[in-house]
Coordinates of all heavy atoms in Angstrom, one line a residue:
R591 N 17.9 -10.9 -15.1 CA 17.2 -9.7 -14.4 C 15.7 -9.9 -14.5 O 14.9 -8.9 -14.6 CB 17.6 -8.4 -15.0 CG 19.1 -8.1 -14.9 CD 19.5 -7.9 -13.5 NE 20.9 -7.4 -13.5 CZ 21.6 -7.7 -12.5 NH1 21.2 -8.5 -11.5 NH2 22.9 -7.3 -12.4
T592 N 15.2 -11.2 -14.5 CA 13.8 -11.5 -14.5 C 13.5 -12.6 -13.5 O 14.3 -13.6 -13.6 CB 13.3 -11.9 -15.9 OG1 13.6 -10.8 -16.8 CG2 11.9 -12.2 -15.9
I593 N 12.5 -12.5 -12.7 CA 12.1 -13.6 -11.9 C 10.9 -14.3 -12.5 O 9.9 -13.6 -12.7 CB 11.8 -13.1 -10.4 CG1 13.0 -12.5 -9.8 CG2 11.2 -14.3 -9.6 CD1 12.8 -12.0 -8.4
Y594 N 11.1 -15.5 -12.9 CA 10.0 -16.2 -13.7 C 9.0 -16.8 -12.7 O 8.8 -18.0 -12.7 CB 10.7 -17.2 -14.6 CG 11.4 -16.6 -15.7 CD1 12.8 -16.6 -15.7 CD2 10.8 -16.0 -16.8 CE1 13.5 -16.0 -16.7 CE2 11.5 -15.4 -17.8 CZ 12.9 -15.4 -17.7 OH 13.6 -14.8 -18.7
L595 N 8.3 -16.0 -12.0 CA 7.2 -16.3 -11.2 C 6.0 -15.5 -11.7 O 6.2 -14.3 -11.9 CB 7.4 -16.1 -9.7 CG 8.4 -16.9 -9.0 CD1 8.6 -16.5 -7.6 CD2 8.0 -18.4 -9.0
P596 N 4.8 -16.0 -11.9 CA 3.7 -15.2 -12.4 C 3.3 -14.1 -11.4 O 3.2 -14.4 -10.2 CB 2.6 -16.3 -12.6 CG 3.0 -17.4 -11.8 CD 4.4 -17.4 -11.6
G597 N 3.1 -13.0 -12.0 CA 2.6 -11.8 -11.2 C 1.4 -11.3 -11.9 O 0.8 -11.8 -12.9
R598 N 0.9 -10.2 -11.4 CA -0.3 -9.5 -12.1 C -0.1 -9.1 -13.5 O -1.0 -9.2 -14.3 CB -0.7 -8.3 -11.3 CG -1.3 -8.6 -9.9 CD -1.8 -7.4 -9.2 NE -2.1 -7.7 -7.8 CZ -2.1 -6.8 -6.9 NH1 -1.8 -5.6 -7.1 NH2 -2.5 -7.2 -5.7
E599 N 1.1 -8.7 -13.8 CA 1.4 -8.2 -15.1 C 2.5 -9.0 -15.8 O 3.3 -8.5 -16.6 CB 1.9 -6.7 -15.0 CG 0.9 -5.8 -14.4 CD 1.5 -4.5 -13.9 OE1 2.7 -4.3 -14.0 OE2 0.7 -3.7 -13.3
G600 N 2.5 -10.3 -15.5 CA 3.5 -11.2 -16.1 C 4.6 -11.5 -15.2 O 4.5 -11.4 -14.0
F601 N 5.8 -11.8 -15.7 CA 6.9 -12.1 -14.9 C 7.5 -10.8 -14.3 O 7.2 -9.7 -14.8 CB 8.0 -12.7 -15.8 CG 7.6 -14.1 -16.3 CD1 7.8 -14.4 -17.6 CD2 7.1 -15.0 -15.5 CE1 7.4 -15.6 -18.1 CE2 6.7 -16.3 -16.0 CZ 6.8 -16.5 -17.3
I602 N 8.3 -10.9 -13.3 CA 8.8 -9.7 -12.6 C 10.1 -9.3 -13.2 O 11.1 -10.1 -13.0 CB 8.9 -10.1 -11.1 CG1 7.5 -10.5 -10.5 CG2 9.5 -8.9 -10.3 CD1 7.6 -11.1 -9.2
H603 N 10.2 -8.2 -13.8 CA 11.4 -7.7 -14.4 C 12.0 -6.6 -13.6 O 11.3 -5.7 -13.0 CB 11.1 -7.1 -15.8 CG 10.5 -8.1 -16.7 ND1 11.2 -9.0 -17.4 CD2 9.2 -8.3 -17.1 CE1 10.4 -9.8 -18.1 NE2 9.2 -9.4 -18.0
E604 N 13.3 -6.6 -13.5 CA 14.0 -5.5 -12.7 C 13.8 -4.1 -13.3 O 13.6 -3.2 -12.6 CB 15.5 -5.8 -12.6 CG 16.2 -4.8 -11.7 CD 17.7 -5.1 -11.7 OE1 18.2 -5.7 -12.6 OE2 18.3 -4.8 -10.6
S605 N 13.8 -4.0 -14.6 CA 13.7 -2.7 -15.2 C 12.3 -2.1 -15.0 O 12.2 -0.9 -15.0 CB 13.9 -2.8 -16.7 OG 13.0 -3.7 -17.3
E606 N 11.2 -2.9 -14.9 CA 9.9 -2.4 -14.7 C 9.6 -2.0 -13.3 O 8.9 -1.0 -13.0 CB 8.9 -3.4 -15.2 CG 8.9 -3.7 -16.7 CD 7.9 -4.8 -17.1 OE1 7.2 -5.3 -16.2 OE2 8.0 -5.1 -18.3
N607 N 10.0 -2.8 -12.3 CA 9.7 -2.6 -10.9 C 10.9 -3.0 -10.1 O 10.9 -4.2 -9.6 CB 8.4 -3.3 -10.5 CG 7.9 -2.8 -9.2 OD1 8.6 -2.1 -8.5 ND2 6.6 -3.0 -9.0
P608 N 11.9 -2.2 -9.9 CA 13.1 -2.6 -9.2 C 12.9 -3.0 -7.7 O 13.6 -3.9 -7.2 CB 14.1 -1.5 -9.3 CG 13.4 -0.4 -9.9 CD 12.1 -0.9 -10.4
T609 N 12.0 -2.3 -7.1 CA 11.7 -2.6 -5.7 C 11.1 -3.9 -5.5 O 11.5 -4.7 -4.6 CB 10.8 -1.5 -5.1 OG1 11.3 -0.2 -5.3 CG2 10.6 -1.7 -3.6
L610 N 10.1 -4.3 -6.3 CA 9.5 -5.6 -6.2 C 10.4 -6.7 -6.6 O 10.5 -7.7 -6.0 CB 8.2 -5.6 -7.1 CG 7.5 -7.0 -7.2 CD1 6.9 -7.3 -5.8 CD2 6.4 -6.9 -8.2
F611 N 11.3 -6.4 -7.6 CA 12.2 -7.4 -8.0 C 13.2 -7.7 -6.9 O 13.5 -8.9 -6.6 CB 13.0 -6.9 -9.2 CG 14.1 -7.8 -9.7 CD1 13.8 -8.9 -10.5 CD2 15.4 -7.6 -9.3 CE1 14.8 -9.8 -10.9 CE2 16.4 -8.5 -9.7 CZ 16.1 -9.6 -10.5
M612 N 13.7 -6.7 -6.2 CA 14.7 -6.9 -5.2 C 14.0 -7.6 -4.0 O 14.6 -8.5 -3.4 CB 15.3 -5.6 -4.7 CG 16.5 -5.7 -3.8 SD 17.7 -6.9 -4.3 CE 18.5 -6.0 -5.6
F613 N 12.8 -7.2 -3.7 CA 12.1 -7.8 -2.6 C 11.9 -9.3 -2.8 O 12.1 -10.2 -2.0 CB 10.7 -7.2 -2.3 CG 9.9 -7.8 -1.3 CD1 10.2 -7.7 0.1 CD2 8.8 -8.6 -1.6 CE1 9.4 -8.3 1.0 CE2 8.0 -9.2 -0.7 CZ 8.4 -9.1 0.7
M614 N 11.4 -9.6 -4.0 CA 11.1 -11.0 -4.4 C 12.5 -11.8 -4.4 O 12.5 -13.0 -4.1 CB 10.4 -11.1 -5.7 CG 8.9 -10.7 -5.6 SD 8.0 -11.7 -4.4 CE 8.0 -13.3 -5.2
F615 N 13.5 -11.2 -4.9 CA 14.8 -11.8 -5.0 C 15.3 -12.2 -3.6 O 15.7 -13.3 -3.3 CB 15.8 -10.9 -5.7 CG 17.2 -11.5 -5.8 CD1 17.4 -12.4 -6.9 CD2 18.2 -11.2 -5.0 CE1 18.7 -13.0 -7.0 CE2 19.4 -11.8 -5.1 CZ 19.7 -12.7 -6.1
L616 N 15.2 -11.3 -2.6 CA 15.6 -11.5 -1.3 C 14.7 -12.6 -0.6 O 15.2 -13.4 0.2 CB 15.6 -10.3 -0.4 CG 16.6 -9.2 -0.9 CD1 16.4 -7.9 -0.1 CD2 18.0 -9.8 -0.7
V617 N 13.4 -12.6 -0.9 CA 12.5 -13.7 -0.4 C 13.0 -15.0 -0.9 O 13.0 -16.0 -0.2 CB 11.1 -13.3 -0.7 CG1 10.2 -14.5 -0.5 CG2 10.6 -12.2 0.1
L618 N 13.3 -15.1 -2.2 CA 13.7 -16.4 -2.8 C 15.0 -16.8 -2.2 O 15.2 -18.0 -1.9 CB 13.9 -16.2 -4.3 CG 12.6 -16.2 -5.2 CD1 13.0 -15.9 -6.6 CD2 11.9 -17.4 -5.0
V619 N 16.0 -15.9 -1.9 CA 17.2 -16.3 -1.3 C 17.0 -16.8 0.1 O 17.5 -17.8 0.5 CB 18.2 -15.1 -1.3 CG1 19.4 -15.4 -0.4 CG2 18.6 -14.7 -2.7
F620 N 16.1 -16.1 0.9 CA 15.8 -16.5 2.2 C 15.2 -17.9 2.2 O 15.5 -18.8 3.0 CB 14.9 -15.5 2.9 CG 14.5 -15.9 4.3 CD1 15.4 -15.9 5.3 CD2 13.2 -16.3 4.5 CE1 15.0 -16.3 6.6 CE2 12.8 -16.7 5.7 CZ 13.7 -16.7 6.8
L621 N 14.1 -18.1 1.4 CA 13.4 -19.4 1.4 C 14.3 -20.5 0.9 O 14.2 -21.6 1.4 CB 12.2 -19.3 0.5 CG 11.0 -18.5 1.0 CD1 9.9 -18.4 0.0 CD2 10.5 -19.0 2.3
S622 N 15.2 -20.2 -0.1 CA 16.1 -21.3 -0.6 C 17.0 -21.7 0.5 O 17.3 -22.9 0.8 CB 16.8 -20.8 -1.8 OG 17.7 -21.8 -2.2
G623 N 17.6 -20.7 1.2 CA 18.6 -21.0 2.3 C 17.9 -21.7 3.4 O 18.5 -22.7 4.0
L624 N 16.7 -21.3 3.8 CA 16.0 -21.9 5.0 C 15.6 -23.4 4.6 O 15.8 -24.3 5.4 CB 14.8 -21.1 5.3 CG 14.0 -21.6 6.5 CD1 14.8 -21.5 7.8 CD2 12.7 -20.8 6.7
S625 N 15.1 -23.6 3.4 CA 14.7 -24.9 3.0 C 15.9 -25.8 2.9 O 15.9 -27.0 3.3 CB 14.0 -24.8 1.6 OG 13.6 -26.0 1.2
F626 N 17.0 -25.3 2.4 CA 18.2 -26.2 2.3 C 18.7 -26.5 3.7 O 19.1 -27.7 3.9 CB 19.3 -25.4 1.5 CG 20.6 -26.3 1.4 CD1 20.6 -27.3 0.4 CD2 21.7 -26.1 2.2 CE1 21.8 -28.1 0.3 CE2 22.8 -26.9 2.1 CZ 22.8 -27.9 1.1
Y627 N 18.7 -25.6 4.6 CA 19.2 -25.8 5.9 C 18.3 -26.8 6.6 O 18.9 -27.8 7.2 CB 19.2 -24.5 6.7 CG 19.5 -24.7 8.2 CD1 20.8 -24.9 8.6 CD2 18.5 -24.6 9.2 CE1 21.1 -25.1 10.0 CE2 18.8 -24.8 10.5 CZ 20.1 -25.1 10.9 OH 20.4 -25.3 12.2
Q628 N 17.0 -26.7 6.5 CA 16.1 -27.6 7.2 C 16.2 -29.0 6.6 O 16.3 -30.0 7.3 CB 14.7 -27.2 7.1 CG 14.4 -26.0 8.0 CD 12.9 -25.5 7.8 OE1 12.3 -25.8 6.9 NE2 12.5 -24.7 8.8
G629 N 16.3 -29.1 5.3 CA 16.4 -30.4 4.6 C 17.7 -31.1 4.9 O 17.7 -32.3 5.2
Y630 N 18.8 -30.4 4.8 CA 20.1 -31.0 5.0 C 20.3 -31.4 6.4 O 20.8 -32.5 6.7 CB 21.2 -30.0 4.5 CG 22.6 -30.6 4.7 CD1 23.1 -31.5 3.9 CD2 23.4 -30.2 5.8 CE1 24.3 -32.1 4.0 CE2 24.7 -30.7 6.0 CZ 25.1 -31.7 5.1 OH 26.4 -32.2 5.3
T631 N 20.0 -30.5 7.4 CA 20.3 -30.8 8.8 C 19.3 -31.9 9.2 O 19.7 -32.8 10.0 CB 20.1 -29.6 9.7 OG1 18.8 -29.0 9.5 CG2 21.2 -28.6 9.4
G632 N 18.1 -32.0 8.7 CA 17.2 -33.0 9.0 C 17.6 -34.4 8.5 O 17.6 -35.4 9.3
L633 N 18.1 -34.4 7.3 CA 18.6 -35.7 6.7 C 19.9 -36.1 7.4 O 20.1 -37.3 7.7 CB 18.8 -35.5 5.2 CG 17.5 -35.5 4.4 CD1 17.9 -35.3 2.9 CD2 16.8 -36.9 4.5
Y634 N 20.7 -35.1 7.8 CA 21.9 -35.5 8.5 C 21.7 -36.1 9.8 O 22.3 -37.1 10.2 CB 22.8 -34.2 8.6 CG 24.1 -34.4 9.3 CD1 25.1 -35.1 8.6 CD2 24.4 -34.0 10.6 CE1 26.4 -35.3 9.2 CE2 25.6 -34.2 11.2 CZ 26.6 -34.9 10.5 OH 27.8 -35.1 11.1

């Protein structure tokens, strides 16, 4: 329940700021999926 990316006040914890945590989580999921898709299809 912690995203280990540096922020203004340290790492992003769900208990301290649930909205920011969920937003960053969704951004990470989107970027990971897009990067995997581009890399895999390009290599294929």
Side-chain angles (χ1 to χ4, degrees):
R591 300 290 188 215
T592 302
I593 296 177
Y594 291 104
L595 292 175
R598 291 183 188 157
E599 301 161 359
F601 298 129
I602 302 166
H603 300 281
E604 183 183 28
S605 59
E606 293 175 5
N607 196 342
T609 306
L610 178 62
F611 177 84
M612 190 52 72
F613 176 74
M614 288 302 295
F615 183 79
L616 292 175
V617 166
L618 285 175
V619 169
F620 176 74
L621 288 177
S622 176
L624 182 64
S625 183
F626 182 80
Y627 173 76
Q628 288 178 341
Y630 180 75
T631 57
L633 285 174
Y634 181 72

